[in-house]
Amino acid sequence: MALNRLILYARDVEGTVAFYEKHFGFKVLRLPGDRIVELVAQSGGANLMIHAAAKGVKTGQVTVKLVFDVEDVSAFCERSARNGLVFSSLHPADGYSYANGKDPCGNNIQVTSRAFRKAD
């Protein structure tokens, strides 16, 4: 069994869709009559399903972080900053690096080179 989809509840559905399309290369899939906009991952991984948040839904969860694998975190962060997405400073870890940010709904996101670290 594979984890293939994550639902994000958004106050601004179109802004959230545009954010993930622009910064992470997702392709939009809209089906007639569907309340959910599915963002299809172009390089593998889970799809994101963007659903309008009801008034009572708290957005900007702190217990979940969406993590995206990128080979060169520094270059990705520089390119993203030019496009309006600013990440925290680069953090070194055990053989990889990462940086944190937030999406338009306040959800935590991270880019990391962990998947590309060299085994000892």
Side-chain angles (χ1 to χ4, degrees):
M1 180 181 321
L3 175 63
N4 292 312
R5 287 175 183 78
L6 299 169
I7 294 178
L8 293 179
Y9 292 93
R11 296 260 184 261
D12 178 2
V13 170
E14 294 308 317
T16 302
V17 166
F19 174 86
Y20 285 103
E21 186 178 29
K22 176 180 180 180
H23 295 293
F24 295 98
F26 284 87
K27 295 295 179 196
V28 177
L29 174 62
R30 295 177 193 265
L31 300 176
D34 196 351
R35 307 180 304 178
I36 295 174
V37 179
E38 188 159 357
L39 299 176
V40 180
Q42 296 301 288
S43 58
N47 290 351
L48 298 177
M49 299 173 67
I50 311 302
H51 192 293
K55 289 181 182 178
V57 172
K58 179 176 168 61
T59 59
Q61 298 298 312
V62 296
T63 58
V64 174
K65 184 181 286 188
L66 301 179
V67 180
F68 297 92
D69 294 325
V70 297
E71 207 162 347
D72 186 336
V73 175
S74 180
F76 184 89
C77 290
E78 289 173 19
R79 193 169 51 253
S80 294
R82 288 192 299 270
N83 287 318
L85 172 57
V86 178
F87 284 91
S88 69
S89 59
L90 196 63
H91 300 282
D94 297 324
Y96 65 97
S97 62
Y98 65 93
N100 296 308
K102 293 202 180 273
D103 75 5
C105 297
N107 293 304
N108 292 312
I109 59 174
Q110 181 179 90
V111 290
T112 178
S113 60
R114 182 182 174 95
F116 303 98
R117 69 181 171 179
K118 305 289 186 245
D120 291 334

